Each structure stands twice: as C-alpha cells, then as structure tokens.
Amino acid sequence: MPAEVANAAGTAKHSRRAALDTRWCGLTVHYGDPQIAIGVVFAVIALILAASFLVIGVQAGSEVSVERVHRVGYWLRKRWLAFLLVIGVFVVGVSLFDLPYATGTSAGRTMVKVTSGQFFWSLVPNRVPAGTRVRFDVTSIDVNHGFGLYDPHGHLIGSVQAMPGYHNELDLTLSEPGVYRIRCLELCGLNHATMENTFTVAPQ
Amino acid sequence: MSETSADTHSSTDGLWPWLVGGLAGGGIILGLLIAAYAVGYHRGQQHPHRTASAAAPTAPASTTPTATPPTRPAATLGPVTATPALVARGGTLYKADGCAACHSLNGSAGVGTSFKGLAGSRVALTEGQTVTADDTYLEQSISSPDAKIVKGYRSGVMSAAVSSQDLAGKPNDIRALVAFIKAQK
Amino acid sequence: MMEAAAASAPTVLHPGAAAFTLEARGIERRVGLWFGVTGVALVAAMGVLGLIMRLTQATVISLSPGWFYRLLTLHGAGMITGSLLAMMGALWYVLHASVQLRPGRMLATYVLTMTGVVAVLVATLVGGFGAAYTFLPPLPFYSAGQWPVWSESAFFVGMLLVGAGFCVYLVDVLEQTTATYGGLARTLGLHYLRGREAKAPPPQAIAATVVAIDGLISCAVGSTILVGLLGHTYDSKVGFDLLVAKNLDYFFMHSIANLSIYLGAAVVYVLVPRYAGRPYETTKVFVAGWMGSLVFIATAYSHHLYMDFVQPTWADIVSEIASYGALIPVAVITIYSMTMLVWGSRYHWTLASTLLYIGFAGWAIGGIGAVIDSLIPINFRLHNTTWVVAHFHTYLIMTVVVWGLAFLAHLLERGAGRSSSRAASAWTVGLILVGGYGLTGTWFVEGVLGIPRRYALQPPGTSGYSMVGAGFALLLALGFLAFFVQLVPLARSAWERRRDVFADSVSGAGHTSTRQLGHRGLPLANPAQLALGTAACVVGLIAFFPQVVNASEVSNRYHHLDHAGQFFLGAMLGVLLGSVPTISRRLGERAAVGLTAVIAAPVLMMLLMVPRFYEPLERHPFEHGLYHLAMAALGLVTGLGATRLGLVTGRLMFVLSVGMMVMFAAAMT
C-alpha cells in the first residue's frame, strides 16, 4: 500500500534498502520488490494466455482440416508438456531453498514474543536495534490470527499464522530502521481489519 | 478387480471352509498380538520405567479460551514506597515488558485498564464485588493476573501475554511496576 | 434418433455435430433446468452480496463490520453451493445419456442442498454468524458478541446438509458409472490404458468418476470436522486439536471448491464438441491425465497451511508438488485439447458456445495465479492478501459461473431452436469479460501491494482500489443482467415448443442407459475376500479387550481411536455379513436405505461422543459397555448399508466411514 507509514527521520534516503538482508545466489533481495516482480510476471503470462485464446478464437471461425489440427496440435503439445514440466520442476525445486520456516536454535537471536488475541497484538520487546537477528515467536490466545509484518514503507515483508496453543517461529533480520506495522492476516472476527500494532527498529 | 464371482445365485455352502479359514487366520493374528502384549507387559514389569504418559501424544493446548497457565500464589510484598528511582525503573519495565500495549497512561481503556488514577481507586470486579486498588491488589494483578478481573475485561488475556516473563518470580520488578502505577495520577 | 436430433441441431449446434449428438430427453432437460436455474439464481443473489461488500470496502455504502462478515460468510457458502448445483445438474444432463443416473437420488440431493442453503441463510442473516464459509476453528466459537451459539449450530448443520446432498449425488454417479462400464479399473479407463481393451468410457464418465471419488473423500473429511464442531456447540467440553482441525477444514473446503471446476470440465467435454462439430474421445493420454488429477486434487490442500509453520514441512512440500502436478493435466489435456478441438473447426458461435470458450481462459489465468501463490516463498509474501481472492474468483467466476451460464443458455437455445442475436451475445460476453477480469485484476494489484483479504475496513488510503473493483463488479452485474435478458425470449420460445422438447422421446438408440445393468457386486466379492473379512473381524475384537480399553484411557484421542476400532469391528462385520450371498439376497436391493445408513450412522456415532452424553454413563459399567456396543452396532449398520452400494462404492464408503472415525480421533482432544 502507499507509504502511509512514514519512515523515522534521517533514513528516508535509504528507502530502497532491503528490510531484510537476504542474499540469494549473490543477489540482494529487496522487499516490496518481490511482489511487484511477481505481479509483472503474472501479468505477462496472463496477457500471453489471453492473446492465445483470442487468436485461437479468431481462427476457430475458419476451417482447418482435422489432420492438420492433429499434426500441429500433438506436435505442439509434446513440447508444451516438456516446457511445463521443466519450468515446474525448476520453480518448485528452487522454492525449496527459500522456505521461511525457522530452523536451528534461537542462539544469537533476539526473541520477540508476539501474542495476539481479539483484537490486539502484543510484542515483547517491541523495539530492537537495526540489524538484530530476530526470532518472532508468534502465538494467539483465542482464535487464529495472521502476523503480517509491513516495513516502514508499507510493503508487506511476509506473514506467519498465529495459532492458539502453538508457537510459530519466524526468523528475520531487520536492517532498515523505522516503524514497522503489524496487521492481522487471518479473519479473526469483528475487528479483524483494525487490529494493528507497531514494531520499532531503532537506528544503530 | 472381478466383481461377479460371489453373485446372488451361488449357494453359501462352498463358503464355509473359507469362513472357518478366515476365523482361524484372524484368531492366529489376534493370538500373536495378545502374545506380543503379554511379552511386552512382562518385560515392563521387570524393568520399571516411566508412566504411560510417555506414550500419550503430547497434544498441545485445547481450545478452552480461559485456559490459564498456572501462576504461583502471590507473595505478599507489603506496601510499596514509590521512590523516584523505583518509579523510573517501573517505567522502563512498563515499556520493556509490553504493558504499554494494553494499559494506557492517559485514561483510555484498551485491552486492559488504564493506569491513570488507578492506584487507590475503587474497581468493580467481574464477580460483582468492588475493591480498592491498593498495593496488594496491584501486586496480585501482576503476579496472578486472573485472580481478580475488572468488570468488562476478559480473563486469560494478560496471563497469556505475560506468561513468558515470570513476573511472579521477580518481586523487585513487581514493586517497581506498582510504584510506577501509583505515580500515574 | 437422427430425425429428432436434426430438428434442433442445425440451427443451434454445429452442422457436423448431428452425427454424434444425442438428443436430450425430457428428464434430462428437467433435471438440468431445475439445478441450473436454482444454481445460477443462487449465484446471482450471492453476486449482489459481493457487490454490496465491494461497495462497502469502497466506503460508498456504510455497513457495519458485523454485517459485512455475515454477508461474506453467506456469499462464500452460497456461491460454492450455487456453483455446485449448476455443475451437478449440467453433469447429470450430459452423463445421463450414457449412464443410468437415478432421478430419485437427484431429488434427494436437491432437497438436502436447498435445506442446507436455508439453514445457512438463517444462520448468517438472522443469527449473524460471520466466521466466513471456511469456519476455521475456533473462530466460530469466538464471536466477540456477534452471534449466538444457535447460529453456529445452524451453519454447521447447513454445511453438513449441503455436503450430504453432494454425497448422495456422487454415490449415484460412482455406483452407476462403475456398474455401466464394469468395475473401477475399466471405468477409469485403466484397462484401455494398458491396452487390454479397445474402447474406453467416454471422457465425461471418466471425469465424473474421478470427481466422485475425490468428492466422497472430501465429504467424509468435511462431515468429520463439521460434526465435531457441531458437538462443541452442544457441549463446550468437546475439545479439538486446532492444527488437525485446520487440516480437515481446508481439505474439505479446498476440495469442494476445486471439484466444482472439474465437474465443469466433464460438462464441457460434451458440450464444446457440439459447437465445434468434432467429437471428443478418450485417449490414453486423457486417462493418464485424469489419474494424475485424481491424486493431485486430493493432495494439494495443504497449500492453505504454508504459513502454519507448525504444519510438518513434508506435508507442505507434498502439497506444493501436488499443486503443480494438478496444473499439468489441466493445461496439457483439458484446456489444450479443448482449444485444439475449437481451432479451425468453424466453431458455431452462440451465446452458450462463446461462454463455454471463454471459460477456458478463466481456468488458465486463475490457475497461473494459483500456482504462483503455491510456491512457499511467494506464499510467504502473498498469503491472505487479496491475491488469493483474485485467483480463486478468476476461475470461479470466469470459469465455473460462466460455464453455469453457458449450460443454461445451451438448454434454452436447444429448447428454443435458436440463439440470441450476435450483437446481444457480444455485449453480454463483453460485459462479463471486462467486468469479471477487471474485478479480479484489481484484486491481483491489491494483493501485490499487500492489502489483506477479508477486511471490512480497507487500510487507509486504499479504498480507491475497492472503488475501481466495485466499478468492475457493476459491469459484471450488468453482464449478468444482459445474460438474463437474452434468456427471456429464448425461454418463451422453448416453452412454446415444450411438447416437442420435454417429451421423453423414445429414441433408444444411442442412449445406453436403458440397457440392463448387471448385479453391481458386493464389497467382498469372492470367498478369499470373505475369508479376509472374517479374519479382520476377529482381529478387530481387540478393540473390546479390557487391556486395550484401559490403555487407551491415557488420553481422549487414544480413547476415540479405540472407539474407531469398535466401529471398525462393527463395520467389517456388517460388510462381511452383507457380502455373504444368501444374506445379501435377504437384504434385497435397498440401495437408498443403504446409502442413508452409510451417511447417517457415522454422523450419529460422532455426535454420541460428546461428553454430555457419555459422562453420566461412566459410573455405570453396564450402561458404559452398552454404549461401546452401540458404537459397534452403528458400525454394523454402516457396513451393511455399504454392501447395498455395490462393489466399488461399497468398498469406498466402508473405508471412508472408518477413516472418518480415525480422523475424528485425531482431531478431537
């Protein structure tokens, strides 16, 4: 959403800096960008599909012999299947290297206890210095909530579910100072849309 | 998968050997299971081990909304003298321990009561009685939050939120917080 | 046969279609109309609710959050039900020509579903239930003062009834397809795939069978969680493990929504060729693809739990693979070969056939949105934003609903012997396309920006997007209106011709459903299987051994597992007895009674496991013993009932009913 959460004074110049310092295959991934890139990729694919349906629809009105349809169609289908399989295996395989699930001990990490309920977020501590490796321990005291963390520019970093009776752990390193916003991302009742809180990352 | 073998026209006579065979086979398997149980039981008698709770699935919390974690009985700390240093420490804890998330200082009710003017005032509890929010009450509210709930608020909320802080085991922290609350006129 | 077909085929269908198009008989048209009209009407009404919600989010209308969430709940439940009704009716219409489906069962489905709809309406509009149609526990029980307990019960009962209606339908489909084509392997085309047979069942039969199997599994899962939650509304001492409950909930809801599209696929396999003038036949690739779908539809649901980090990671990975796997048959077989059929066919463009065609685009585009979100790292960033709303509305509106409209248009075009004018059809389709893709496109954009879903109040500064979305929703509504306007003159003409159109024509040739069906078999089909069943019963006695019962007392879940064992004993015994030929003959055909038993007995058993019922009995050993015997007795009734459903369906229902008890034990604490 538009940057309705203003950044703390003095750090606006680093507005493009990553909230997370994820290094992945040598690239630094900036948050806020992944969603836009995803959206663009999707839009391109959707337009290509729409165009294909349009073209086929237009050509549906004319006559093409059954033999030609089968010849072209089956020839293309083999390659289409191969293409989909390759893309699918590649994409799924790559995704398995970037799972958000916390692993390892909490040694060296600052534990932030996140407790949610109808209709509040409690974060203890609610302030960390920039660059701290944080482990969010997220739970709920009543229904399922969704811990949605937005960076100071209003970009969604990611989310994790808050389940009563369970603790979900999310490891993040927040390098960009500012006021982060938490929104609820799982329908939890009447005030689901207004259940917010903030989390501060103090400049070093 | 053949579907027509046992059709409605065949008689049941030819089935008896099969049924008896099935009974026998089932009986053998059942017997083996009983024998295995008996052996295991016998072994267990010889080697005393932990109770059956080891076998029970550790089912995480049920859904009862008012499931409160066990709290230690409130140690009576006695009246608290609110020195400036203690108040300052209480203020630090007020933010660090997350009290600020639910208890305002300006009188507005949040998830919890506001601290403004709380100390010494009369509070109505959910059970119906009205008590004075003296030092003992404030201390108990921190160490055993569900012991007394102010009318209009929910039990279980604070106890869950502070469950990790073990405030009941930190009497000095409780004193500091009480001092801080008393300073909110 | 040909003469009757020729009367309406040339004017409405492709000229080449006369060679393979069967003229629908009166019963098929009646069922199709009843279900199609009810389904589409329900969808349209729910669409109005959707428009109201979008306008609320745009702050054009002011609606309290309490009402917003009531409407949201009703909208979801009603849309799923309406789409299912339309697709069930359409599938019946196209399948009945080759498979002898039973109108009586269809009536039962209709009554059950509509009663369920009424219950959900009352629960939401009168009671105020607002936990969304996914009723994710424990939200239904934490209303924050918004709805009373009875509305929770009413909602669960309503969903149970809708599920029961779907179950009755699917049992009929599965029973009759397997009886028509001779066993499960042949019906799925496996013998044909392996070259043991020259011919395979028609595409719609294979698709219907796969949907029936996965659908029945979903209904079993759904009824388990719904009955468990219903028990909680009666006795709040009923506890459940929230993670298991979440798994069951999402399995049910994901599968039901997903299956509505696959039901539609079965329908378009028959309808599209009629406008393309080229027949569509089963191929080996087709069979293999649907076997893949059978597996992937049932294993993909855990993608709803990616952000529950406590869900075992292997389950997430399996569902990620399954979600991608599910894409392959759809992209490579259904959508691809249907468009291949259409290409260069001199496709006969009418209102119905155009709507059929554009439906493929909805599935394709929505599917891409879905598989993108099915990647766990991407889901981390898009989970529960409006991206989710966007992708499922894309294939639910732009495919399932559009195909429902297409089916209605097809019925009335055939009845009237003509279609509406080119211009009118173009306007209708154009409005639906622009409105529909605009509505969903806006949601995709909002999702990219991180705007959460299910927000009655949009984050500050973002209501503009809702305004745009509402505008497109209005266009979509106009498209719907234009569609209904087209239907009116068609309906009038069809009504005038009704004597020709609704008569049950005698044309027997081509309609295979009049042929005699052989005895459909018994679950334990030969002496060896009967022997195995006997052995299983004997082993099942272990559930009654005092040592086992005492050992199970360590926790509620193990104790419920013991109950499941007692149920298994009874059910196995029931299946065994019912499969013995002399006893089976005594029991008689009684398929409907058997089906009722199979649906009702497990539900009753689960309801009995409520503390308020059994706690008083615990002090009296004799009554307690009787209680446990009653569980076995309910199992016996279930097993006997299952044997009335034939070999394939009987086995499936037996396994599912025991599975329900095991799932219940896993979920309830």
Side-chain angles (χ1 to χ4, degrees), chain A residues 1 31 53 59 95 150 185, chain C residues 320 343 357 381 384 449-450:
Chain A
M1 64 203 77
Y31 278 88
F53 282 106
Q59 292 185 346
S95 77
Y150 290 78
L185 287 190
Chain C
E320 186 171 339
W343 182 54
Y357 181 70
R381 293 160 177 84
N384 274 351
L449 296 174

Side-chain angles (χ1 to χ4, degrees), chain C residues 482-635:
Chain C
F483 174 80
F484 290 128
V485 164
Q486 309 306 312
L487 287 191
V488 171
L490 289 177
R492 224 177 269 142
S493 307
W495 180 252
E496 279 156 23
R497 296 174 73 222
R498 68 187 178 281
R499 243 162 289 279
D500 310 318
V501 150
F502 278 92
D504 270 312
S505 49
V506 182
S507 52
H511 286 288
T512 52
S513 50
T514 52
R515 75 162 176 234
Q516 279 297 337
L517 292 178
H519 179 63
R520 48 199 76 222
L522 295 161
L524 299 175
N526 58 42
Q529 291 173 8
L530 284 166
L532 273 172
T534 317
C537 283
V538 174
V539 174
L541 283 170
I542 211 171
F544 274 102
F545 281 15
Q547 291 89 340
V548 172
V549 176
N550 287 338
S552 79
E553 300 276 358
V554 288
S555 79
N556 263 345
R557 283 163 111 182
Y558 272 138
H559 194 68
H560 287 160
L561 196 59
D562 186 42
H563 288 177
Q566 290 156 2
F567 181 88
F568 166 77
L569 171 64
M572 191 75 250
L573 190 60
V575 167
L576 175 66
L577 290 175
S579 299
V580 171
T582 27
I583 301 180
S584 176
R585 250 174 287 143
R586 286 272 169 77
L587 288 173
E589 280 286 331
R590 297 212 168 82
V593 173
L595 179 57
T596 313
V598 163
I599 294 180
V603 168
L604 192 59
M605 162 123 171
M606 292 190 288
L607 283 173
L608 282 176
M609 289 199 254
V610 160
R612 261 166 87 168
F613 290 138
Y614 66 70
E615 264 172 8
L617 296 174
E618 276 176 346
R619 283 170 258 124
H620 311 282
F622 180 64
E623 279 87 343
H624 195 131
L626 273 184
Y627 180 76
H628 282 248
L629 269 177
M631 303 205 146
L634 283 170

Side-chain angles (χ1 to χ4, degrees), chain A residues 100-101 159-161, chain C residues 300-311 313 315-324 373-380 383:
Chain A
Y101 309 128
S159 69
V160 64
Q161 290 279 296
Chain C
Y301 81 96
S302 188
H303 58 226
H304 293 270
L305 284 108
Y306 283 161
M307 291 303 110
D308 288 280
F309 290 6
V310 286
Q311 174 83 337
T313 310
D316 293 324
I317 295 178
V318 163
S319 74
E320 186 171 339
I321 295 172
S323 306
Y324 272 82
D373 199 20
S374 294
L375 290 170
I376 300 174
I378 296 187
N379 191 268
F380 177 62
H383 186 78

Side-chain angles (χ1 to χ4, degrees), chain B residues 128-178:
Chain B
Q129 74 268 49
T130 310
V131 297
T132 310
D134 57 7
D135 291 3
T136 314
Y137 170 84
L138 292 173
E139 287 155 15
Q140 190 187 44
S141 299
I142 297 171
S143 58
S144 305
D146 289 318
K148 294 193 176 67
I149 302 288
V150 174
K151 200 175 175 126
Y153 293 90
R154 299 216 353 230
S155 86
V157 179
M158 180 168 160
S159 51
V162 304
S163 59
S164 52
Q165 270 119 279
D166 190 31
L167 288 169
K170 298 181 190 149
N172 290 325
D173 282 9
I174 295 180
R175 270 199 214 97
L177 284 166
V178 171

